[in-house]
Amino acid sequence: MIRVRIPQKKKELEVPGPRRVGEILAAAGIRPTTVIVTQGKRLLTRDQRVEDGETIDVLSVVSGG
Amino acid sequence: MKCKRCRKAEAAVDLPSHNSAFCPDCFFLFFRRQVSEGIRKLSLLSPEDRILVCVSGGKDSLVLWDVLMELGYPTEGLYIDLGIEGYSDRSREKVLAYAGARGKEPIVVDLRAEGIPIPEAAKRARKEECSVCGTVKRYFFNRIAARRGFTVVATGHNLDDEAARLLGNLLHWDRDHLSRQHPLLPEVAEGLVRKVKPLWRVSEMETAAYGFLKGIDYVTEECPLSFDATSLIYKEALSMIEEKMPGTRRRFYQGFLDKNRGVLQNSDDKNRDVLENSVPGLCATCGAPTFAEVCGFCRLKEMVSQGRDRKRSAQ
């Protein structure tokens, strides 16, 4: 399983791997233009493949006010 | 996916709105070029300017400060501690750490020390937090800039912020706000300094990507008082459209600036004529320039003070 952390929402979910970042976001119902997806110090593009057992972070970029 | 500029390195940022994708080094070039083009196109800044950059600890303002320094502009940071328990302390920490690592010491205004922390001020004055926050920030932007000899105040508003604001103004046909919506607000009078938004061409996602790749440690949590801000609804609507039709947000805002801003202004708009032809006087309480007898900040302070009196007499 791929571990998907969404720290600003204090949420974590698991999706079966391997999958592309774009597919993971779609499965989690997240619009790609509203987030950046990171893995350690790397920034991932939507077409990048995430393997089973890996962890990614989804960070919202939307600021209000 | 390979970088579409150098065609060698692996892409780290894909930008469907520009039909492009960049590796980190090429993305830095792209981002700086977007910002410097935005500055040049609208003559936002000149090399002689002394720039006061308003930093909140969030990604946009810290990235703005970073990119302006990289472009060689003389800048100082202003941090306003809003007095929001926890959130303000964490934001302040980020600003001080960022500035310290670059040999800078930001100017800090502490609203608790000023007797007007936002959550309490809004409660006592019986006003919306975001409205109180706007009044207080505008006051200190002008006051600090005027007193310390800055020629311009720069804020981190980005393309998403401006497009969302434009959508809101259009949905309400707010001609007054539409006529004043621009990345450059000229100096109205001494003490009401020029305001600029140099990030108007870059999206929130691009700003976040730049901050992340540059290793800028910004506060990722949102202001707890802005969770129901209407701008979030407009942003959500625009994101949905952007996803289906990449580049729409940019064309929407750029088109407004290029072609349609003048059309939306009403030549017989009385409010605008009054504003444009008026010369501000000085606030009877604090001496700041204002179009009323007492400035908005002093009126707010008075409302807060009355609210505190009401609370005391009720106890």
Side-chain angles (χ1 to χ4, degrees):
Chain A
M1 297 295 268
I2 299 166
R3 197 167 152 219
V4 182
R5 298 189 298 201
I6 311 171
Q8 286 133 310
K9 290 191 175 166
K10 296 187 173 71
K11 206 169 128 183
E12 232 180 83
L13 48 108
E14 287 192 330
V15 293
R19 273 202 205 193
R20 295 194 187 276
V21 169
E23 293 165 351
I24 297 171
L25 293 178
I30 297 168
R31 290 188 205 293
T33 57
T34 64
V35 294
I36 55 172
V37 180
T38 68
Q39 191 173 43
K41 294 195 167 180
R42 284 173 64 221
L43 201 54
L44 304 182
T45 52
R46 273 178 255 191
D47 70 327
Q48 260 161 333
R49 215 168 89 129
V50 185
E51 301 298 333
D52 229 3
E54 292 185 339
T55 299
I56 60 169
D57 290 321
V58 178
L59 305 175
S60 167
V61 301
V62 182
S63 53
Chain B
M1 187 191 304
K2 289 277 179 215
C3 171
K4 291 201 178 171
R5 185 176 173 274
C6 69
R7 297 176 195 280
K8 288 178 197 143
E10 196 63 30
V13 189
D14 52 344
L15 301 176
S17 61
H18 290 272
N19 194 23
S20 209
F22 297 109
C23 68
D25 286 343
C26 292
F27 178 66
F28 292 150
L29 285 176
F30 163 83
F31 190 89
R32 282 185 213 120
R33 198 166 294 156
Q34 286 293 319
V35 177
S36 54
E37 263 303 286
I39 293 171
R40 190 196 60 78
K41 262 188 99 171
L42 301 178
S43 306
L44 300 185
L45 299 169
S46 79
E48 293 77 38
D49 272 321
R50 274 197 76 215
I51 308 164
L52 183 63
V53 185
C54 303
V55 282
S56 64
K59 67 181 189 313
D60 302 306
S61 56
L62 287 181
V63 164
L64 170 65
W65 198 6
D66 199 82
V67 78
L68 287 181
M69 282 194 276
E70 292 224 351
L71 292 171
Y73 287 100
T75 60
E76 295 300 331
L78 166 65
Y79 173 70
I80 299 179
D81 186 319
L82 304 174
I84 301 168
E85 213 183 319
Y87 172 75
S88 290
D89 307 304
R90 289 187 288 278
S91 310
R92 187 179 190 148
E93 226 168 78
K94 300 283 185 196
V95 171
L96 294 181
Y98 173 84
R102 284 148 187 90
K104 294 270 189 185
E105 196 180 327
I107 301 161
V108 175
V109 173
D110 190 332
L111 295 186
R112 280 173 275 218
E114 295 283 337
I116 193 159
I118 299 300
E120 199 222 339
K123 202 169 160 189
R124 299 285 162 251
R126 294 172 176 167
K127 283 178 158 266
E128 291 286 326
E129 284 105 344
C130 292
S131 145
V132 170
C133 190
T135 302
V136 172
K137 279 181 177 170
R138 277 191 297 276
Y139 177 81
F140 282 107
F141 291 172
N142 283 316
R143 191 171 94 173
I144 301 289
R147 286 191 181 171
R148 301 201 185 208
F150 291 96
T151 54
V152 57
V153 167
T155 56
H157 295 92
N158 56 46
L159 176 63
D160 297 46
D161 297 324
E162 293 307 296
R165 196 170 153 217
L166 176 58
L167 179 61
N169 286 339
L170 283 172
L171 289 174
H172 295 100
W173 288 113
D174 191 332
R175 285 180 183 273
D176 191 29
H177 283 157
L178 282 165
S179 69
R180 279 183 280 134
Q181 183 173 356
H182 197 271
L184 167 68
L185 294 177
E187 179 172 344
V188 182
E190 206 182 318
L192 294 175
V193 295
R194 177 164 37 111
K195 315 275 186 323
V196 295
K197 299 171 181 173
L199 299 185
W200 68 274
R201 278 165 67 98
V202 291
S203 73
E204 242 164 11
M205 196 280 266
E206 289 158 18
T207 311
Y210 185 88
F212 179 83
L213 291 170
K214 287 273 289 181
I216 296 173
D217 186 17
Y218 56 84
V219 66
T220 51
E221 66 188 293
E222 262 314 298
C223 171
L225 305 181
S226 74
F227 68 96
D228 63 349
T230 48
S231 61
L232 293 175
I233 301 167
Y234 302 136
K235 280 187 177 181
E236 172 70 16
L238 286 168
S239 289
M240 195 170 71
I241 299 168
E242 183 70 22
E243 200 182 323
K244 304 278 179 209
M245 295 182 281
T248 302
R249 183 166 30 214
R250 190 158 45 89
R251 285 191 294 276
F252 176 52
Y253 186 57
Q254 189 116 30
F256 167 68
L257 293 181
D258 289 348
K259 301 169 205 152
N260 297 316
R261 197 165 157 260
V263 176
L264 290 162
Q265 289 173 351
N266 194 341
S267 57
D268 58 20
D269 184 332
K270 284 182 187 147
N271 276 343
R272 193 164 62 89
D273 285 349
V274 168
L275 263 180
E276 280 182 359
N277 297 321
S278 296
V279 177
L282 299 178
C283 171
T285 308
C286 72
T290 177
F291 291 95
E293 198 186 329
V294 174
C295 75
F297 179 73
C298 288
R299 287 201 304 272
L300 175 69
K301 276 190 101 168
E302 182 53 31
M303 281 188 260
V304 173
S305 163
Q306 286 170 0
R308 283 182 183 140
D309 289 345
R310 274 196 304 273
K311 192 190 171 201
R312 268 193 292 271
S313 56
Q315 280 170 347

